[in-house]
Amino acid sequence: MNPKYIYQTLRFLLVIGVVVLALFSFYFVSKVAYPFIIGLIIALMINPLVNIFEKKAKMPRVLSVFLALIIIFALFAGLITLLVAEIVSGATYLAKVVPEHLDTLINYLEDYFTGQILPLYNQLTSVFNKLETGQQDTIISNIQNVGQKIGSTVGSFIQNLFLKIPNIISWFPNVATVLIFSLLATFFISKDWYRLSAMGGRLLPEKAKRSGRTVFVDLKRALFGFIRAQLTLISITTIIILIGLLVLRVDYAITIALVTGIVDIIPYLGTGAVFVPWIIYEAIGGDMGLAIGLGVLYIIVLVQRQIMEPKILSSSIGLDPLATLIALFVGFKLIGFLGLIVGPVTLVIISTLYRANVFHDVWSFIKGKQV
């Protein structure tokens, strides 16, 4: 066999081995060091603000980082407080209104039972009494089996729910610990940002630094673009819902629009988690006008989300709309909800590596050419 092809095969296997090893290393390290990865991302995001305080306001780097963290935390806490206040106000209103609607629902169910279920029960009883003893026993046995299966399923669900409560409770201290370590990591990483960058630059060859700089700049732009795209989509959904609810003259439209806009982040549920039960309830309660109005508003929100999401994502992170749509679909099919984030991010990484000529350099290494 030609030695040239042997060397190319060995280089190819070496590249595959390095990539696999790097992926496994990142996976295992991220499971242990994820608070510091979160801290690195936050430090990257607040670095422009820290630079403004340091260079424009002539503050020490340590004070600039501390002030930036305080401002970000205050803004986040303020938004959470505003949202909680709106939810509490809406909950107070619901506490007054829900009992009346509940009475309406109970009356509807009573009328439905009396008018539909009871006559049907009488007809089934009459038919059942005319059957032979063996047929009656078979039906009773099947009903008992179905009842036992339903009972065991419900029992297992309740048991699993109660078994998960300790895990849910233990999750809160873990979140607090991760938050503290992430904030500390953010502070120290941001404080020594340029020293750490210079240290990393000394460890890498010039070619790797150039490629890494290109990858870093593109990934940073994509990260901020992805966040901006999600905020834009949520804002559009919230505004459309708010306008629709105001047109329909729904009370506490602002609170409902804010909550629904936030729920829109969840792909499996989305705005349907709010609209579908609401529409069903209004239809059962007899307010068909509001039910139809909510249905039309829900359809508008769904259509605009499907149309705008690929376009906004592609324009924000610099990708082709069709490629973004494919990445969203493939990611969702492969790993579900998380794939709607991982898909576009993976596409961004591949596109960035391509623009940085990383694939070209790897192929040149495999072919045995000078990189």
Side-chain angles (χ1 to χ4, degrees), residues 24-91:
F24 272 102
S25 300
F26 177 78
Y27 173 75
F28 286 111
V29 169
S30 63
K31 288 179 66 176
V32 179
Y34 63 91
F36 303 98
I37 297 175
I38 295 173
L40 176 62
I41 295 173
I42 298 175
L44 172 64
M45 295 175 66
I46 68 172
N47 195 53
L49 182 60
V50 174
N51 290 337
I52 290 175
F53 289 145
E54 184 183 17
K55 296 176 180 178
K56 302 293 184 181
K58 306 299 181 182
M59 292 182 180
R61 182 76 182 182
V62 174
L63 182 59
S64 300
V65 174
F66 185 74
L67 185 59
L69 287 174
I70 290 295
I71 291 175
I72 298 298
F73 184 79
L75 289 174
F76 183 75
L79 290 174
I80 294 296
T81 302
L82 177 62
L83 181 61
V84 169
E86 287 290 336
I87 292 175
V88 169
S89 177

Side-chain angles (χ1 to χ4, degrees), residues 242-265:
L242 178 60
I243 294 173
L245 294 181
L246 291 175
V247 170
L248 295 173
R249 297 181 180 180
V250 175
D251 294 326
Y252 290 91
I254 296 177
T255 303
I256 297 173
L258 286 173
V259 173
T260 310
I262 294 173
V263 172
D264 191 40
I265 300 175

Side-chain angles (χ1 to χ4, degrees), residues 230-251:
Q230 293 300 324
L231 292 177
T232 302
L233 289 169
I234 293 172
S235 301
I236 292 174
T237 299
T238 303
I239 291 172
I240 292 175
I241 293 174
L242 178 60
I243 294 173
L245 294 181
L246 291 175
V247 170
L248 295 173
R249 297 181 180 180
V250 175
D251 294 326

Side-chain angles (χ1 to χ4, degrees), residues 10-30:
L10 291 176
R11 291 191 188 99
F12 176 75
L13 294 176
L14 177 62
V15 170
I16 295 297
V18 170
V19 171
V20 172
L21 180 62
L23 290 176
F24 272 102
S25 300
F26 177 78
Y27 173 75
F28 286 111
V29 169
S30 63

Side-chain angles (χ1 to χ4, degrees), residues 292-346:
I292 294 173
L294 292 174
V296 173
L297 179 59
Y298 179 46
I299 293 173
I300 293 174
V301 170
L302 282 180
V303 171
Q304 72 83 22
R305 178 79 184 196
Q306 299 302 317
I307 293 175
M308 298 298 293
E309 184 170 14
K311 182 175 179 58
I312 291 177
L313 276 177
S314 62
S315 61
S316 298
I317 60 182
L319 295 176
D320 182 75
L322 179 60
T324 306
L325 185 63
I326 294 173
L328 288 168
F329 181 78
V330 172
F332 177 75
K333 283 295 183 182
L334 289 178
I335 54 178
F337 161 66
L338 191 61
L340 294 173
I341 299 175
V342 174
V345 170
T346 303

Side-chain angles (χ1 to χ4, degrees), residues 90-301:
T92 304
Y93 168 77
L94 291 175
K96 297 178 181 178
V97 173
V98 165
E100 300 176 2
H101 291 302
L102 189 60
D103 291 338
T104 303
L105 180 61
I106 291 173
N107 292 332
Y108 173 82
L109 292 175
E110 289 177 351
D111 294 338
Y112 183 80
F113 182 82
T114 304
Q116 303 293 331
I117 303 298
L118 196 58
L120 179 61
Y121 171 76
N122 292 330
Q123 293 177 5
L124 291 176
T125 303
S126 177
V127 172
F128 179 78
N129 292 331
K130 296 178 181 179
L131 296 176
E132 298 179 357
T133 304
Q135 293 174 328
Q136 292 179 355
D137 293 338
T138 302
I139 293 175
I140 292 174
S141 176
N142 291 332
I143 293 174
Q144 289 175 346
N145 291 334
V146 172
Q148 289 175 356
K149 290 181 180 179
I150 294 175
S152 62
T153 303
V154 173
S156 300
F157 173 78
I158 295 175
Q159 183 181 15
N160 292 332
L161 181 62
F162 280 107
L163 289 175
K164 289 180 180 178
I165 289 177
N167 294 331
I168 296 174
I169 295 174
S170 64
W171 182 73
F172 289 101
N174 182 56
V175 170
T177 304
V178 170
L179 180 61
I180 292 172
F181 275 94
S182 297
L183 289 176
L184 290 174
T186 301
F187 178 80
F188 289 112
I189 292 173
S190 184
K191 179 177 72 71
D192 299 325
W193 180 266
Y194 294 105
R195 184 177 67 84
L196 294 173
S197 300
M199 185 185 302
R202 289 194 297 267
L203 297 175
L204 295 175
E206 189 60 33
K207 177 65 177 178
K209 282 196 290 186
R210 288 198 302 268
S211 300
R213 194 177 297 113
T214 303
V215 172
F216 176 77
V217 171
D218 283 3
L219 288 180
K220 183 172 69 172
R221 185 187 65 182
L223 173 64
F224 284 102
F226 185 79
I227 295 174
R228 184 171 63 249
Q230 293 300 324
L231 292 177
T232 302
L233 289 169
I234 293 172
S235 301
I236 292 174
T237 299
T238 303
I239 291 172
I240 292 175
I241 293 174
L242 178 60
I243 294 173
L245 294 181
L246 291 175
V247 170
L248 295 173
R249 297 181 180 180
V250 175
D251 294 326
Y252 290 91
I254 296 177
T255 303
I256 297 173
L258 286 173
V259 173
T260 310
I262 294 173
V263 172
D264 191 40
I265 300 175
I266 308 173
Y268 281 121
L269 300 177
T271 54
V274 176
F275 274 103
V276 173
W278 193 3
I279 293 169
I280 294 174
Y281 173 79
E282 295 298 340
I284 292 176
D287 194 347
M288 291 302 300
L290 181 58
I292 294 173
L294 292 174
V296 173
L297 179 59
Y298 179 46
I299 293 173
I300 293 174
V301 170

